[in-house]
């Protein structure tokens, strides 16, 4: 093989390697884009979940406003705060150490009343308001 032919051979081999590398990079970019889309979808779901809990808090507080003995209500816990990033408990994100918005698991309300005789009625009013 002449020197010119050897150079052409190496050039074509190098371009074949680049093509394979480009294909791998393209696959990695697609995987990364899918991964980012999955994380963004999870974050939207978690933001919506917090929004739903806040809406539920508004509904319950409105139902309790009719009771004279209710002095104050406070939303406490993760529903009351701006969401923060954390590695969640679900496996697919935890395994890779991916941080998403904190998952609000429940709604915590603090209720101040002047008397306690109507706690059952307050509970039923909250359940009724959320059901309707």
């Amino acid at each position: 093989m002449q020197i010119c032919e050897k150079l052409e051979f190496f050039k074509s081999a190098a371009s074949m390697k680049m093509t394979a590398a480009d294909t791998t990079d393209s696959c990695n970019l697609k995987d990364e884009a899918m991964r980012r889309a999955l994380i963004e979808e999870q974050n939207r779901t978690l933001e919506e979940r917090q929004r739903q809990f806040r809406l539920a808090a508004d509904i319950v507080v409105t139902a309790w406003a009719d009771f004279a003995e209710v002095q104050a209500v406070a939303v406490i816990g993760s529903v009351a705060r701006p969401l923060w990033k954390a590695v969640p408990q679900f496996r697919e994100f935890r395994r890779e150490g991916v941080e998403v918005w904190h998952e609000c698991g429940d709604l915590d309300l603090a209720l101040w009343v002047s008397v306690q005789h109507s706690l059952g009625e307050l509970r039923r009013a909250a359940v009724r308001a959320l059901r309707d």
Side-chain angles (χ1 to χ4, degrees), residues 60 63-64 67 111 118-131:
V60 170
W64 286 346
F67 290 82
L111 174 65
S118 60
L119 293 178
E121 290 175 50
L122 285 162
R123 183 187 56 76
R124 285 188 292 280
V127 169
R128 237 185 345 269
L130 289 171
R131 194 176 26 208

Side-chain angles (χ1 to χ4, degrees), residues 47-63:
E47 288 172 327
E48 177 61 19
R49 183 178 177 104
Q50 185 190 45
R51 192 185 73 71
Q52 290 292 327
F53 276 124
R54 287 180 173 182
L55 180 60
D58 288 342
I59 291 168
V60 170
V61 168
T62 301

